[in-house]
Amino acid sequence: MTLSQFLEIMNGDLANEWTHLSFYLYHASAVAGLHAHEYKEFFTEAAEGEMRHVQGFLDRLFGLNYTQPCQGPKAFAYVSRIEDILTLAIKLEEDVVTNYTQRLKQLDDLAISHPETAAYLKVFYEDQIKDSYEDAEHMRRLVA
């Protein structure tokens, strides 16, 4: 895998992070039900975390001279019930863990031609995996 190819994949990951940011921000306001106020705070904090992820991806892409990083989200489902929002959010976070675990394997290929960059990006993606794994774990407990 070339660095250029990996940056294209990484830009797709950025699009997903924009989607997560928008998802949490939207649902912080859309949430309805008995505990909506508490979940508004929860989803707002989740959006703040996703904003840091978006910024991290943008910083990495600009730092690696990627000229046109993704600027917005993909479409996502709109719901208002707390359980439905949490179920969708769990799926988003689980997909991140699955996708970014694949990125670690892809970075092994990149390490042949760009060992330092691949090593750095592995740590970056490992941090993303940790965040999303823990978020999904927490939300699964809320739904239970």
Side-chain angles (χ1 to χ4, degrees), residues 15-53:
N16 290 335
E17 295 294 341
W18 276 116
T19 303
H20 300 167
L21 168 59
S22 298
F23 174 89
Y24 286 119
L25 188 60
Y26 175 88
H27 287 98
S29 292
V31 66
L34 183 60
H35 300 287
H37 179 73
E38 290 83 8
Y39 278 97
K40 178 183 181 96
E41 291 177 20
F42 177 79
F43 294 132
T44 299
E45 288 175 18
E48 290 168 356
E50 294 300 334
M51 184 181 68
R52 287 188 293 279
H53 290 179

Side-chain angles (χ1 to χ4, degrees), residues 111-135:
I112 296 167
S113 59
H114 296 85
E116 295 87 3
T117 300
Y120 174 75
L121 289 175
K122 270 190 148 187
V123 172
F124 175 75
Y125 273 98
E126 287 168 349
D127 289 344
Q128 301 291 320
I129 290 169
K130 179 182 178 294
D131 286 349
S132 289
Y133 189 94
E134 290 172 356
D135 289 347

Side-chain angles (χ1 to χ4, degrees), residues 55-138:
Q55 183 115 60
F57 273 88
L58 285 167
D59 289 346
R60 300 300 73 77
L61 286 164
F62 279 117
L64 292 167
N65 299 314
Y66 189 82
T67 56
Q68 195 61 266
C70 177
Q71 298 175 14
K74 299 175 184 177
F76 56 87
Y78 303 109
V79 294
S80 60
R81 285 187 54 236
I82 293 167
E83 295 84 359
D84 295 338
I85 297 169
L86 288 170
T87 299
L88 290 171
I90 290 166
K91 176 75 170 110
L92 288 175
E93 299 300 344
E94 289 174 341
D95 287 348
V96 165
V97 172
T98 299
N99 291 339
Y100 293 0
T101 299
Q102 181 63 30
R103 297 299 171 267
L104 296 178
K105 294 174 187 171
Q106 292 167 319
L107 284 164
D108 288 338
D109 293 338
L110 182 64
I112 296 167
S113 59
H114 296 85
E116 295 87 3
T117 300
Y120 174 75
L121 289 175
K122 270 190 148 187
V123 172
F124 175 75
Y125 273 98
E126 287 168 349
D127 289 344
Q128 301 291 320
I129 290 169
K130 179 182 178 294
D131 286 349
S132 289
Y133 189 94
E134 290 172 356
D135 289 347
E137 183 179 70
H138 177 73

